[in-house]
Amino acid sequence: MEKEAHEQYEYARKRIRQKKILYFHFVLFLLGSLFLFVANRFFGFSIGTEQNWCIWIITLWFFIFILHFIKIYITDRFMNKKWEREQIDRLIALQQKRINQLESSINDNPENKI
């Protein structure tokens, strides 16, 4: 039982760390976007161009943030250690079933007997 409690603790610790990093990424995104917007509008980094280059960077960064959000709250939530264990157990059972079928076909075939 102690091993199971330790695994639950480690899983919870990992999830909290992932969420903490996601929140940090969000704050960094907000501050970075604000800085890029101010640099583009008020400090003249866009002189000579009519394009709002900061909008493209902020949009790309937002897309990356959305991917990070999906990974933390959707993908990792369902495909965790328990899911991995179930998949491994299922594949091992399929392999063992196939091995048993091959062994029985070898044993049942009279041509293979010495």
Side-chain angles (χ1 to χ4, degrees):
M1 190 65 161
E2 185 177 314
K3 181 181 177 185
E4 187 174 313
H6 180 69
E7 285 180 0
Q8 289 175 345
Y9 171 78
E10 287 298 320
Y11 175 74
R13 192 174 67 79
K14 179 184 171 194
R15 290 289 295 161
I16 288 172
R17 184 172 182 274
Q18 287 176 335
K19 289 179 182 180
K20 183 179 174 183
I21 291 171
L22 180 70
Y23 297 149
F24 178 75
H25 186 183
F26 180 69
V27 170
L28 188 65
F29 166 72
L30 289 179
L31 294 175
S33 298
L34 179 65
F35 172 76
L36 290 172
F37 182 77
V38 168
N40 187 42
R41 290 283 184 211
F42 301 112
F43 293 126
F45 285 117
S46 65
I47 293 177
T49 63
E50 294 297 321
Q51 296 178 343
N52 288 330
W53 56 268
C54 70
I55 300 298
W56 289 103
I57 294 173
I58 292 170
T59 303
L60 179 65
W61 197 352
F62 181 71
F63 179 72
I64 292 169
F65 174 76
I66 294 297
L67 290 176
H68 189 182
F69 179 85
I70 289 170
K71 180 186 182 306
I72 299 300
Y73 280 101
I74 296 173
T75 307
D76 284 354
R77 187 174 186 184
F78 297 110
M79 294 181 182
N80 53 22
K81 289 286 186 186
K82 181 181 175 186
W83 180 83
E84 281 183 31
R85 259 189 232 119
E86 289 172 357
Q87 295 300 313
I88 289 170
D89 291 342
R90 186 179 65 82
L91 289 174
I92 288 173
L94 286 173
Q95 289 174 347
Q96 192 62 41
K97 181 181 174 184
R98 181 68 180 146
I99 289 170
N100 291 340
Q101 287 175 346
L102 290 172
E103 285 177 350
S104 67
S105 70
I106 288 173
N107 292 337
D108 292 342
N109 192 349
E111 296 175 3
N112 293 331
K113 298 205 177 185
I114 300 179

